[in-house]
């Protein structure tokens, strides 16, 4: 069990600030196992394949793959799982090559509506909300135009939205996606229900939170901070807990504390 390592997989970005944000979050997790971060794109020298090769070279036999993605509905996760040999064929077109790896890979779930994610969203909402009974909530996720993946996104958004509506007592709540684009239509439908609060479900701030969502809401009065999941210490806590749960399943948990 001392031959076990962690590979955190993330989307990647050519923006060094984005990469540093992810790197710092993983450092904050304080994992006691060897850990590498494999980026899907934007960081060529630290791609998923390159990181797996490095782990093989230092003698790792088991690798826990932790996907730092918002939803199971991400087609990128399907591509990555195919590339890693965890599924026989991709459900979407992909440029990723099938990798031949010697290590045994153990796939972990993405963020979804983990209790820590809900706590982050609650904090973000408290910055926006003042009188919930006179407010309407719109959650916004990336979404997907691919059947199956679209439903996974919508199921996540529905669960999150309903929990937040009940917890805060909003007059109304709905969810929207960028793909397919339902943001403006859903926002307009909520305008008669009270002051509109818009909450993004994105890992980090960037194009989608700073431009894509505001552009679609142009001409609509709403309250919005654009804050994403990161930076927040609970994401590092999620990484740590995900690894500990995987180790518990594989080895009874002792390896996390003793390595």
């Amino acid at each position: 069990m001392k031959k076990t390592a962690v590979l955190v997989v993330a989307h990647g970005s050519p923006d060094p600030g984005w990469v540093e944000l992810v790197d710092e979050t993983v450092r904050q997790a304080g994992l006691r196992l060897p850990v590498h971060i494999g980026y899907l794109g934007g960081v060529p020298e630290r791609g998923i394949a390159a990181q797996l090769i490095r782990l093989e070279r230092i003698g790792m036999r088991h690798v826990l793959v932790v996907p730092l993605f918002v939803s199971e509905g991400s087609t990128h996760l399907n591509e990555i799982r195919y590339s890693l040999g965890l599924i026989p064929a991709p459900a979407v077109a992909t440029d990723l090559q099938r990798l031949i790896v010697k290590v045994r890979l153990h796939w972990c779930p993405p963020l979804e509506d983990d209790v820590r994610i809900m706590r982050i969203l609650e904090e973000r909402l408290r910055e926006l909300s003042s009188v919930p009974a006179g407010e309407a909530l719109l959650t916004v996720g990336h979404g997907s135009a691919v059947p199956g993946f679209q439903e996974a996104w919508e199921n996540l958004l529905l669960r999150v939205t309903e929990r937040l509506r009940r917890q805060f007592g909003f007059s109304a709540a709905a969810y929207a996606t960028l793909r397919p684009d339902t943001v403006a239509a859903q926002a307009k439908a909520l305008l008669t229900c009270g002051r509109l609060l818009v909450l993004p479900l994105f890992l980090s701030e960037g194009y989608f939170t700073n431009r894509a969502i505001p552009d679609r809401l142009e001409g609509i009065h709403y309250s919005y901070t654009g804050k994403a999941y990161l930076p927040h210490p609970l994401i590092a806590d999620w990484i740590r807990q995900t690894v500990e749960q995987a180790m518990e399943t594989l080895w009874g948990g002792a390896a996390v504390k003793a390595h």
Side-chain angles (χ1 to χ4, degrees), residues 39 54 100 118 151 173 208 221 223 239 249 256 258:
Y39 291 99
R54 292 184 178 104
I100 299 176
M118 296 305 301
E151 286 77 8
F208 294 114
H221 185 68
S223 295
I239 293 172
T249 299
V256 173

Side-chain angles (χ1 to χ4, degrees), residues 73-95:
S74 171
T75 55
H76 291 313
L77 293 185
N78 184 266
E79 294 179 76
I80 294 169
R81 293 181 71 191
Y82 162 73
S83 177
L84 295 177
L86 297 174
I87 56 175
V92 294
T94 180
D95 293 328

